[in-house]
Amino acid sequence: MLAPELVTKTKAAIANITSPDISSATVDINNCDREPIHTPNAIQPHGVLLALNANDWTIIQVSQNTDSYFYQSPEALLGQPVTTLLSNEHIQLIKRCLSGDFEAINPLRMTLPIQQQLKHFNVVVHRNGDAICLEFEATAASSEHQHSINFFDFHKLVKRPINRFQQTSNLDELCQTAVEEIQNITGFDRVMVYRFDQDGSGSVIAEAKQSHMTPYIGLHYPDTDIPKQAKHLYLLNLLRIIPDIRYEPVPMLTQKKEIEAETDNIPPLDMSLSVLRSVSPLHTEYLSNMGVRASMSISLVTDNKLWGLIACHHDSPRKLSYEYRTVCEFLAQAIALELTNKSNHENADYQLQIKQRQTEFINALTQSENLEQGLTQNTERLLGLTGSTGAAFCEKGEITLLGKTPSLAETNSLIQWLSDQFVESALFQTATLSQAYAPAAQFIERTSGLLAISISQVQELYVLWFRPEVLQTVDWAGNPEKPIEIDEHGEEKMSPRRSFEKWQQTLEHHAQPWLPCEIEAALELRSSVIGLVLQRADELAELNSELARSNIELDSFAYIASHDLKEPLRGIHNYSSFLIEDYGDALGEDGAQKLHTLMRLTQRMENLISSLLHYSRLGRSELMLSPIDLNELAESVIELMQMSKPEEATIEITKPLPVVEADHTQITELLTNLITNAIKYNDKAEKRVTVGFLTGQEAQQQNIYPEQPILTSSESFPDASIPVLYVKDNGIGIREKHLEAIFRIFKRLHGPTKFGGGTGAGLTITKKIVEKHGGNIWVESTYGEGTTFYFTLAGADTSDSRQSSADTPPSQ
């Protein structure tokens, strides 16, 4: 028996199984899965079942074979208090059982005076909702397997098998020892260990049989041979026995309601926990087709999952006492414990290699600059982690292929499909990919098996492992396809297979199944990567916080230093001026020239400090955002420049500019700096400056975005909804080797007096303004022909432009 919480879960799962009329349902291979085998409303005849009302202990359901056991008709017992049959002492015994541990107390041994005779029974008690179920099996001493056994008998029966189980060295040896010991205890003609595969099918992996019998070891049985609800019941009841498959089911008689019309609404008794429950006619027909007359099945459960069965068959009727069944159930639990140990030690060397590779991966990841490098720099290690022939790493749509894989396009489509499979689980694995994903049929030879993990769906971070197709020959116990027959009414019905002769099938489109240790390795790699990413995120957050503090301190220092240094510089400048005025004759021409040089240097230094002070204030200031019509702003900047130098250059706006949400003062400075530089660094006779913009779509079509944006403040770059503004000139241009340096503070590409001088801070300040507005700035230039500065502002909106943006932009 299982723990109460598992019983509750399993009963709930069984209760959810619907039970349509099979005869009228469309015939398919899964009709057996819908047969309500937990509510047959009948029992096997080797016992009696009573269902009592838990409130008043009256008999509300009874099997219709009470005459044979109690010499009372079921009609006479139905509705009567259980005291009609049992004494108060018996009832108190049952109550103690109900309040205690069923497994420790069952079966209750009762002696009932019937027809002036004492009859002995083993009584199994269990609850079923509001009903108390009592199952009576008469005890007798007709054979060596029917007499009662005490604790010492029990110890003798289990000591030798358990010692043998513990001495086995591997899984196959354990299972073979198990069938030999169970056969020795039960006397069944054939005892087998039947192991379930991942797909629900099973195979005989150990067998003990009479010499004249055909061997079944190595044969496979399809998933449909044991319906899903039967597997649930195997979890609920660890042992099921059919003493004679040719038995006549004994119907249950149910107490009628006072209103006759309500009787049809009384649900049948749930016999999930019953040891006497009648079995499906399909199952008895299945056993008959195998030549079996009596059977017993013992569940092998590991980690609350049905690992397999110990199946016992006999050519003639065979009934085993409850005590001997208890011995078998106990041994099955001992075997299940050993199964876990043996399974854990299977392929021990291979598992050790996987663990070593996991350790190597963690070391490589911690020393790598990024995740892709850590995972893909050693192909052999990544493939060896799961015994694969190919792998793929995907991050934000970028795919890296390693080893033998589908093509890049095929892998990309597969990943798009996989993203939906990762909704409920972070792991997907199959040995038959083409069955789940039809397009995989196009690359069967390269990939039939897939093991994939999702590290982050938001970042599209996936790792996939591939295995090729391996043709396999499977020995089935007869054709695995269930036959469909026509009944007497001319309707189709499902029928158990009749042939169990060896039937070979070559499986195509199958890869070697993924071992549990390989699946575990993939999951552990995922956990390690997530842990490492989180650790680096914490480190980065701490570093960013520290950098933010440092930037604030540097800004403060620059402001204080710039402000305080100006005073002594003005003093030097003024004193130099006084010296020239008062002592110019005494100093001579050479001395006066040196003082003039000193004055120029102090003036230049003051300009540099002013630029630094301005840059510092720019970093510390808050943006005063408001809607700005760039047309008006650009026109005012151009007008101011033309007033100061009316004939220096031709400045034009190619088409109406957009409205932006920005700081008016800073954007004015930005345009002023760019237009001033366009005019200053120009040696052409006709200087031309163009101010314009491109929509995001136009910018993408013309491919003017940089491969690596200078700024990273924008979350998405490029963004098709944000226009690209530009200032274009026909000036001297910039050599390609200098393009990355022009935004550095005080970085000049010319002498201090050439092209009108300057501090070299203008473009640095321009970059800072763009950065504060969440945009990007970059440059295209042809040396000797001209330069174009492009920039974006996150608050730009092309919808307010004065005319359509479809106008042709100036040529680049």
Side-chain angles (χ1 to χ4, degrees):
M1 300 292 287
L2 298 180
E5 61 271 15
L6 181 57
V7 170
T8 302
K9 291 179 182 177
T10 309
K11 287 183 68 177
I14 295 172
N16 287 329
I17 299 173
T18 58
S19 54
D21 182 355
I22 295 178
S23 64
S24 62
T26 302
V27 175
D28 65 58
I29 201 74
N30 295 314
N31 273 353
C32 290
D33 289 335
R34 295 190 287 271
E35 185 184 4
I37 62 174
H38 61 300
T39 57
N41 210 25
I43 66 168
Q44 298 181 58
H46 61 277
V48 177
L49 189 149
L50 302 179
L52 312 179
N53 186 315
N55 297 319
D56 58 14
W57 287 64
T58 57
I59 301 172
I60 55 176
Q61 292 194 50
V62 61
S63 59
Q64 296 188 27
N65 60 344
T66 55
D67 282 327
S68 303
Y69 288 86
F70 304 142
Y71 299 112
Q72 295 188 56
S73 69
E75 291 82 5
L77 290 172
L78 199 62
Q80 297 299 314
V82 74
T83 52
T84 303
L85 186 64
L86 303 178
S87 67
N88 286 330
E89 182 182 353
H90 292 143
I91 294 173
Q92 292 304 316
L93 188 62
I94 293 171
K95 288 183 177 180
R96 287 197 296 272
C97 181
L98 290 172
S99 62
D101 184 354
F102 289 0
E103 296 182 13
I105 299 174
N106 275 324
L108 304 178
R109 291 184 174 83
M110 294 186 184
T111 301
L112 306 181
I114 298 174
Q115 293 287 324
Q116 298 180 347
Q117 298 180 16
L118 294 178
K119 288 203 169 185
H120 305 283
F121 294 92
N122 280 335
V123 182
V124 177
V125 182
H126 63 85
R127 274 192 179 274
N128 188 337
D130 293 332
I132 298 170
C133 295
L134 308 177
E135 299 185 77
F136 294 78
E137 288 188 53
T139 60
S142 58
S143 75
E144 61 176 329
H145 289 298
Q146 302 305 320
H147 68 276
S148 298
I149 58 176
N150 57 31
F151 171 78
F152 296 103
D153 296 325
F154 184 90
H155 181 263
K156 290 179 182 178
L157 285 171
V158 302
K159 181 179 180 181
R160 176 177 178 272
I162 290 179
N163 286 339
R164 289 194 64 194
F165 298 159
Q166 293 174 341
Q167 293 170 5
T168 57
S169 59
N170 55 59
L171 191 63
D172 291 340
E173 187 180 347
L174 170 65
C175 292
Q176 186 58 40
T177 303
V179 296
E180 293 170 1
E181 290 298 331
I182 295 294
Q183 185 184 48
N184 181 58
I185 292 171
T186 64
F188 275 91
D189 291 335
R190 187 198 303 269
V191 179
M192 302 169 286
V193 169
Y194 180 89
R195 181 177 185 175
F196 289 107
D197 294 329
Q198 292 180 357
D199 60 1
S201 64
S203 57
V204 177
I205 62 172
E207 180 181 45
K209 64 178 184 61
Q210 299 296 331
S211 59
H212 68 277
M213 303 178 80
T214 302
Y216 286 166
I217 190 166
L219 296 184
H220 287 68
Y221 298 78
D223 178 28
T224 52
D225 272 21
I226 303 179
K228 293 178 181 177
Q229 74 273 36
K231 292 172 182 174
H232 280 301
L233 291 177
Y234 280 127
L235 267 175
L236 197 59
N237 267 335
L238 295 187
L239 188 144
R240 285 288 289 133
I241 188 167
I242 310 174
D244 188 348
I245 68 167
R246 298 178 189 175
Y247 74 90
E248 288 293 331
V250 179
M252 295 294 295
L253 185 64
T254 304
Q255 184 181 22
K256 295 185 177 181
K257 299 284 187 179
E258 293 181 3
I259 302 175
E260 187 69 24
E262 293 182 2
T263 58
D264 293 337
N265 296 326
I266 300 175
L269 183 67
D270 186 341
M271 296 185 181
S272 299
L273 297 175
S274 173
V275 296
L276 294 175
R277 174 176 51 84
S278 183
V279 297
S280 165
L282 286 173
H283 182 54
T284 55
E285 185 179 350
Y286 181 93
L287 292 173
S288 178
N289 293 344
M290 293 182 72
V292 175
R293 186 68 183 271
S295 79
M296 183 173 73
S297 300
I298 317 166
S299 304
L300 296 172
V301 179
T302 61
D303 297 327
N304 291 335
K305 295 179 181 178
L306 188 62
W307 183 91
L309 299 171
I310 298 176
C312 306
H313 292 167
H314 207 65
D315 288 349
S316 59
R318 187 166 191 80
K319 183 176 183 296
L320 208 62
S321 71
Y322 193 95
E323 289 84 356
Y324 273 87
R325 290 175 352 229
T326 302
V327 170
C328 293
E329 185 177 328
F330 178 83
L331 289 177
Q333 292 176 328
I335 293 167
L337 291 174
E338 286 297 321
L339 282 173
T340 302
N341 293 332
K342 297 298 187 290
S343 296
N344 290 339
H345 286 87
E346 273 190 319
N347 304 316
D349 292 341
Y350 181 55
Q351 293 181 46
L352 181 60
Q353 290 178 6
I354 288 179
K355 290 294 183 183
Q356 291 174 341
R357 291 189 181 105
Q358 286 177 335
T359 303
E360 293 171 357
F361 257 122
I362 301 305
N363 293 335
L365 286 170
T366 54
Q367 298 173 11
S368 301
E369 294 183 3
N370 53 60
L371 186 58
E372 180 186 5
Q373 182 187 48
L375 287 174
T376 62
Q377 63 183 349
N378 190 319
T379 301
E380 182 180 350
R381 183 168 56 205
L382 181 62
L383 300 183
L385 188 67
T386 59
S388 309
T389 56
F393 173 78
C394 175
E395 184 174 16
K396 295 181 180 179
E398 295 294 325
I399 300 173
T400 302
L401 299 179
L402 304 166
K404 190 176 181 181
T405 69
S407 68
L408 189 61
E410 291 167 338
T411 304
N412 184 59
S413 298
L414 175 60
I415 289 173
Q416 297 303 314
W417 174 80
L418 269 177
S419 62
D420 294 331
Q421 312 306 309
F422 287 133
V423 173
E424 296 183 358
S425 173
L427 181 137
F428 177 86
Q429 65 92 12
T430 178
T432 54
L433 180 58
S434 59
Q435 292 183 10
Y437 177 66
Q442 303 300 318
F443 47 85
I444 284 291
E445 294 182 358
R446 286 166 287 156
T447 299
S448 285
L450 172 67
L451 175 61
I453 55 173
S454 169
I455 298 172
S456 170
Q457 284 198 272
V458 175
Q459 299 293 324
E460 298 180 42
L461 196 57
Y462 309 121
V463 182
L464 289 69
W465 289 274
F466 304 105
R467 278 182 177 172
E469 176 188 32
V470 177
L471 295 180
Q472 304 173 50
T473 300
V474 178
D475 294 333
W476 294 98
N479 190 328
E481 298 296 329
K482 285 191 175 183
I484 297 175
E485 299 181 350
I486 307 298
D487 63 15
E488 62 272 15
H489 303 293
E491 297 180 347
E492 292 181 331
K493 69 172 185 177
M494 191 67 69
S495 174
R497 290 185 290 108
R498 290 191 171 88
S499 172
F500 294 88
E501 295 296 326
K502 183 176 178 180
W503 190 87
Q504 286 193 331
Q505 178 187 26
T506 299
L507 292 182
E508 298 179 334
H509 305 172
H510 284 64
Q512 287 292 344
W514 303 97
L515 297 176
C517 60
E518 294 166 341
I519 296 173
E520 182 182 355
L523 289 173
E524 289 188 7
L525 175 64
R526 177 179 181 271
S527 299
S528 299
V529 170
I530 290 175
L532 185 61
V533 169
L534 291 175
Q535 178 184 343
R536 290 191 174 179
D538 289 341
E539 293 172 353
L540 184 60
E542 184 177 351
L543 180 60
N544 286 337
S545 178
E546 185 62 32
L547 285 173
R549 288 194 298 269
S550 298
N551 287 336
I552 292 173
E553 293 172 0
L554 285 172
D555 282 346
S556 300
F557 172 77
Y559 177 80
I560 295 170
S562 300
H563 183 273
D564 293 349
L565 285 174
K566 279 192 171 185
E567 185 176 351
L569 283 175
R570 290 195 187 101
I572 295 172
H573 185 277
N574 291 336
Y575 272 103
S576 298
S577 177
F578 296 155
L579 286 173
I580 293 174
E581 291 178 3
D582 297 340
Y583 302 102
D585 295 338
L587 292 172
E589 183 179 350
D590 183 60
Q593 184 177 357
K594 290 180 179 178
L595 284 175
H596 280 296
T597 301
L598 180 61
M599 291 173 64
R600 286 196 302 272
L601 290 175
T602 57
Q603 185 62 52
R604 173 169 171 72
M605 191 169 187
E606 184 174 355
N607 291 339
L608 290 172
I609 291 174
S610 296
S611 297
L612 180 62
L613 179 61
H614 178 56
Y615 183 76
S616 173
R617 286 173 174 170
L618 189 65
R620 293 158 57 87
S621 64
E622 294 292 333
L623 292 177
M624 303 296 291
L625 299 178
S626 63
I628 300 173
D629 187 338
L630 288 180
N631 297 283
E632 296 179 0
L633 188 147
E635 288 169 358
S636 65
V637 170
I638 294 171
E639 183 179 1
L640 183 63
M641 289 185 174
Q642 289 180 337
M643 287 176 61
S644 60
K645 297 180 180 180
E647 298 180 356
E648 187 168 356
T650 300
I651 307 172
E652 61 177 351
I653 300 175
T654 59
K655 63 180 179 180
L657 302 175
V659 173
V660 298
E661 187 80 11
D663 185 300
H664 189 280
T665 302
Q666 292 191 15
I667 299 303
T668 300
E669 184 175 5
L670 183 153
L671 280 178
T672 300
N673 283 346
L674 291 178
I675 295 174
T676 299
N677 281 351
I679 297 172
K680 179 190 296 186
Y681 298 104
N682 196 320
D683 57 0
K684 303 294 192 301
E686 296 183 5
K687 300 178 181 180
R688 295 191 308 275
V689 180
T690 304
V691 180
F693 87 97
L694 304 171
T695 65
Q697 290 85 351
E698 290 171 338
Q700 288 181 341
Q701 291 172 1
Q702 297 185 30
N703 195 28
I704 57 94
Y705 290 108
E707 292 185 4
Q708 294 293 333
I710 296 173
L711 308 181
T712 57
S713 55
S714 294
E715 293 185 1
S716 177
F717 181 81
D719 186 335
S721 66
I722 298 178
V724 178
L725 299 138
Y726 64 84
V727 175
K728 177 183 175 67
D729 66 60
N730 65 336
I732 62 173
I734 305 170
R735 297 182 190 274
E736 184 176 356
K737 64 181 180 179
H738 297 311
L739 290 177
E740 293 184 4
I742 60 175
F743 292 105
R744 298 177 191 169
I745 192 165
F746 304 143
K747 179 67 176 180
R748 295 178 52 84
L749 305 182
H750 308 285
T753 59
K754 195 172 183 181
F755 295 106
T759 63
L763 286 179
T764 307
I765 291 172
T766 300
K767 173 177 173 289
K768 187 72 172 180
I769 292 172
V770 172
E771 182 179 22
K772 287 179 68 67
H773 283 78
N776 270 278
I777 184 168
W778 65 100
V779 61
E780 286 186 0
S781 184
T782 301
Y783 184 69
E785 296 182 11
T787 301
T788 303
F789 281 91
Y790 296 98
F791 62 95
T792 61
L793 302 171
D797 183 0
T798 58
S799 63
D800 290 334
S801 298
R802 294 181 182 173
Q803 69 180 50
S804 170
S805 61
D807 298 338
T808 305
S811 61
Q812 302 302 309

